[in-house]
Amino acid sequence: MVGSAAQRSALDGIRAVLGPSGVVEEARAMAKYVHSWRDDYGVSVPLVARPSTTEEVAEVVRRCAAADIAIVPQGGNTGLTGAAQAMGGRAEIILSLERMTRIRDVDPVNDTMTVEAGVVLQTVQDRAREAGRLFPLSLAAEGSCTIGGNLATNAGGVQVLRYGNARQLVLGLEAVLADGRVWSGLTALRKDNAGYDLKQLFLGTEGTLGIITAAVLKLFPLPRDSATAFLALENPAAALDLLVAARERFAEAVSSFELIQRRGVELVARHIDAGVDPLATAYPWYVLVELTGQEAPGTLRQAIEEWLAGRFEAGQVADGAIAASEAQAATFWRLRESLADALLKDGVSVNHDVSVPVASVPDFIAAAEAAIGEACPGIRPLSFGHLGDGNIHFNPSQPEGSDAGAFRAEKGRLNRIVHDTVARFSGSISAEHGIGQLRREELVHYKPAVDLEMMRTLKRAFDPQGILNPGKVLRADGPA
Ligand code: FAD
């Protein structure tokens, strides 16, 4: 919806500044930007702007601010909360960072890499590896999500246990503010207490306070050795005991500890790869464990083998496979990384990305399964996620043979039941995916009023016109 002459003229100005390759306007070409990964959100916009430099981003923002056009920043469009989609009801464009793909610097002495926001996560990982370094952020969407999107959502993924969330992997940022000014905070300092840490304003705030255009990322030594095991367990409590024991034995070498319920393996086998199960017998729960370190290659594999022998004897682990090669480790990981896709192909599910204190995970899963089973008899539970971070994707599916539309209509009620359970365990209704449009009303329900008021104060201060990703995280028409 572009109403006024000033808005039409601003769009003309953007076309002129960016040139033909810098804008997408044809409906079919725009579809991949307009619709979300799960295709659950998508409101059309008159134009997708694709600036290729920070100055071009700033120019687009200035023109939008002058004509009161809202801007939805977008990276790889793999987000799961509708945060990179337009909402309609006012003049709005999508601003894709996908042409900002320069790697400005790799510094193996300072252990940093300076990249533009549109660089795909996997490219960052590859460039780090070429320099003999590790960039540890890793998630199933890494082939298409961008570093700007990762930082704007404070992405988590499968190595948070050892290296932290995206927030912990950044030293400096460059961002365009709501009035088009460029904030240049691209410091590579590891210590800097000179005033407020302004980069935090843009990390995890989903493009609502500024548009990230570049970042200085932290690099780490590239592990020389690794060991990957797929282990079968009777229940989540056994998985938690195993996590504690693994951390006692291997300390920070435990880089991933992923929990998977049996139904997840069955879904991947049904929809993605029939031969995916590494074990001959079915068990109710599994963990995928990865150790990494600087030992001589093969050392960790031997160490985990010896350690697991004791775990089998103690009855803590029911069965398992240790990857004999990198290729086999990759097949274990493919199973884990295919879960979201397999679930999507399996009909309607009610998804939750929640966290509770790590020690409460088994009790939370039991309580949430009981509550949701009572509310919706026949619902088919599925939990998987980052046990080491207390982050569970609790994603039950519609009862077998039930009506998809009727089940979809129940989502709000079922969300409330699960999130009330999360609240009882002092957890969070969004562990790593953010709020976007999807969890906005629930945020109001579960966050204390003081928290919401501080968030609104920041939004008013940094975006007084409300043009940056309006309606995401906080309601655009919420109390001032
Ligand atoms: P987009 O989807 O394009 O945008 C996401 C948000 O960031 C929006 O609010 C958008 O406005 C904002 N944004 C994007 N770029 C910028 C920018 N340059 N400046 C300011 N704001 C910006 N997430 C996890 O945390 N952990 C996982 O393990 C995980 N696994 C996933 C697996 C699959 C199969 C899929 C599809 C998604 C998964 N995700 C996961 C969610 C998603 O990949 C992450 O949220 C990712 O960080 C989004 O990056 P993106 O570039 O695709 O961002």
Side-chain angles (χ1 to χ4, degrees), residues 251-264:
E252 77 280 359
V254 185
S255 48
S256 299
F257 205 97
E258 299 287 307
L259 181 71
I260 306 170
Q261 196 164 15
R262 172 70 198 168
R263 198 172 147 251

Side-chain angles (χ1 to χ4, degrees), residues 50-57 95-104 115-120 147 174 212-214:
R50 300 168 67 237
S52 67
T53 63
T54 301
E55 195 33 56
E56 283 183 2
V57 175
L95 187 152
S96 167
L97 282 297
E98 69 184 343
R99 289 209 301 157
M100 293 202 54
T101 54
R102 278 164 288 260
I103 294 192
R104 295 187 189 168
V115 302
E116 292 187 346
V119 180
V120 167
I147 201 70
E174 177 187 84
I212 298 167
T213 47

Side-chain angles (χ1 to χ4, degrees), residues 171 187-194:
L171 293 176
T187 167
L189 300 174
R190 280 164 197 275
K191 286 187 135 183
D192 181 7
N193 277 350

Side-chain angles (χ1 to χ4, degrees), residues 200-221:
Q200 300 298 341
L201 291 165
F202 308 103
L203 300 171
T205 52
E206 305 182 40
T208 60
L209 300 181
I211 301 175
I212 298 167
T213 47
V216 181
L217 305 173
K218 279 192 212 170
L219 303 179
F220 295 81

Side-chain angles (χ1 to χ4, degrees), residues 265 268-279 331-332 334-335:
V265 177
V268 177
R270 187 177 319 149
H271 297 290
I272 314 273
D273 173 3
V276 78
D277 190 347
L279 305 177
T331 62
F332 293 176
R334 227 175 356 263
L335 161 57

